[in-house]
Amino acid sequence: MTDILSRPLVPVASVEDAESTYEALREYVDADAEIHVVNVIEKAGGAPDKAGVEQRELAAEEAFSLFRDRAAADGLTVETDLLYGTDVAAAIREAAAERSATSIAFRSRGGGRIVDFLSGSVRTKLVTEVDRPVVVLPRDE
């Protein structure tokens, strides 16, 4: 049997998310885990993007750097990838399949059913439309 956190794909959305996700994940992974961290830059699909791509790429690299630094201090190795797509959940699922991830591990950023309904929640899609285990890491609040 494969440990579901031996090769997790870990999506992060910001520096703050990378920090809290790493802190939540670290106690559940072994030193030999192959952690793959991704950030998805959502494209508007023909409409103007919410923010400049370069600005979002820089923010993603800051998040990756924080995650890598924390992991290195704990003796863990992390790979990172910047992804682009009009459907964030689909981009994460595709990345997990391409990397043979044993799971998708993330920390929920909150929100309720109304927010899910209005936004088409990435969280909801990740836990209902997947082909591998999903690990929702505990919130520290």
Side-chain angles (χ1 to χ4, degrees), residues 87 89-90 93 104 124-132 134:
D87 182 332
R93 287 192 310 268
I104 297 171
T124 298
K125 289 179 182 179
L126 282 178
V127 299
T128 60
E129 302 172 10
V130 293
D131 62 351
R132 68 198 67 244
V134 174

Side-chain angles (χ1 to χ4, degrees), residues 6-114:
S6 64
R7 253 186 349 271
L9 182 93
V10 182
V12 296
S14 65
V15 171
E16 296 79 16
D17 186 40
E19 181 175 26
S20 61
T21 299
Y22 179 74
E23 293 304 318
L25 177 69
R26 68 189 280 199
E27 69 182 273
Y28 299 104
V29 294
D30 294 329
D32 60 346
E34 298 173 29
I35 304 168
H36 204 105
V37 179
V38 297
N39 176 281
V40 181
I41 294 182
E42 186 176 12
K43 301 296 291 171
D49 290 329
K50 298 174 191 171
V53 172
E54 286 183 19
Q55 179 185 5
R56 291 186 288 164
E57 288 172 341
L58 289 172
E61 188 48 50
E62 288 179 33
F64 291 157
S65 181
L66 181 138
F67 202 105
R68 279 191 302 262
D69 290 350
R70 297 275 172 103
D74 288 335
L76 300 170
T77 303
V78 174
E79 290 185 40
T80 59
D81 267 316
L82 194 51
L83 309 174
Y84 301 85
T86 55
D87 182 332
V88 173
I92 293 168
R93 287 192 310 268
E94 290 167 13
E98 290 170 6
R99 290 155 186 80
S100 300
T102 54
S103 63
I104 297 171
F106 70 98
R107 186 177 163 275
S108 177
R109 289 182 288 284
R113 285 187 282 188
I114 292 173

